[in-house]
Amino acid sequence: MTDIHSHILPYMDDGAKDTGMSLTMLRLAESEGISDIIVTPHYRKGHFKGERRQVEAVLAKMQDLMKAEGIHVNLYPGNEIYYHSDLEEKLEAGILSTLNDTEYILVEFSPMEDFIYIRSAVDELFGMGYTPVVAHVERIQCMEKNIEYVRELKRKGCDLQVNAASVL
């Protein structure tokens, strides 16, 4: 199994608080059959700055620790990017990451965001050559209230990420 949305890197955002917590999370993931994880620290202007260089540096350190600890999970770079107007510029400059350097981009919106804005953002991302993966779609109120919005995004070719706790 592959986890495409994780906050497992230490000190990066509101996920793992330290390397001990990261290693515990990785052991648990491995015990549950997860073989591959795309690390997706938050990037949100003024809040979380999980930029590519920093993510890759912390990722390399974690891979060394995992090897020493005998943890056999593959980690890959990524970001959970809060949608903003200069997103294309930051991606082209290599400041932010798509999911494991593919065309898939994990994008987050405010839970209160209007669907017209989300649809426009998704269209813009497709226009840039990316396939949007809308993060924790179940938290976005307009989607929760109107399943047709979710269907419309799927028809456009969007992928949707739902937190496991919401499914359970």
Side-chain angles (χ1 to χ4, degrees):
M1 186 180 330
T2 300
D3 183 345
I4 67 160
H5 182 176
S6 75
H7 299 285
I8 208 159
L9 292 182
Y11 314 111
M12 296 290 302
D13 56 18
D14 56 354
K17 304 297 180 216
D18 54 36
T19 54
M21 182 182 271
S22 290
L23 291 170
T24 298
M25 292 167 74
L26 286 160
R27 283 187 198 98
L28 179 62
E30 184 177 34
S31 76
E32 292 181 351
I34 296 173
S35 58
D36 300 275
I37 297 175
I38 301 176
V39 299
T40 53
H42 287 285
Y43 178 85
R44 183 175 180 183
K45 287 168 74 170
H47 294 278
F48 299 109
K49 298 196 177 185
E51 295 180 356
R52 178 187 283 272
R53 285 183 325 226
Q54 184 182 10
V55 170
E56 289 175 348
V58 175
L59 180 63
K61 288 178 186 174
M62 283 308 301
Q63 288 170 323
D64 289 343
L65 284 170
M66 290 167 56
K67 186 175 181 179
E69 294 283 325
I71 299 170
H72 304 289
V73 175
N74 301 305
L75 300 181
Y76 306 95
N79 277 117
E80 177 181 8
I81 304 168
Y82 196 89
Y83 185 81
H84 59 283
S85 61
D86 59 345
L87 178 60
E88 182 175 21
E89 176 184 310
K90 295 222 183 281
L91 286 163
E92 287 179 3
I95 295 168
L96 300 177
S97 299
T98 59
L99 296 176
N100 193 26
D101 296 320
T102 65
E103 74 274 10
Y104 294 92
I105 180 170
L106 184 63
V107 63
E108 178 180 18
F109 296 96
S110 165
M112 313 295 220
E113 199 60 72
D114 184 81
F115 184 71
I116 293 168
Y117 179 82
I118 294 169
R119 181 177 46 214
S120 175
V122 162
D123 289 343
E124 187 174 317
L125 290 168
F126 276 121
M128 292 180 220
Y130 298 107
T131 299
V133 179
V134 178
H136 36 73
V137 70
E138 77 280 10
R139 292 185 194 169
I140 304 171
Q141 290 180 9
C142 67
M143 305 279 198
E144 183 182 31
K145 292 177 182 174
N146 188 341
I147 193 68
E148 273 310 308
Y149 292 158
V150 176
R151 290 183 180 122
E152 182 176 335
L153 291 183
K154 284 302 295 169
R155 281 192 300 271
K156 286 178 171 291
C158 237
D159 284 326
L160 307 171
Q161 180 270 318
V162 178
N163 291 353
S166 295
V167 174
L168 295 174

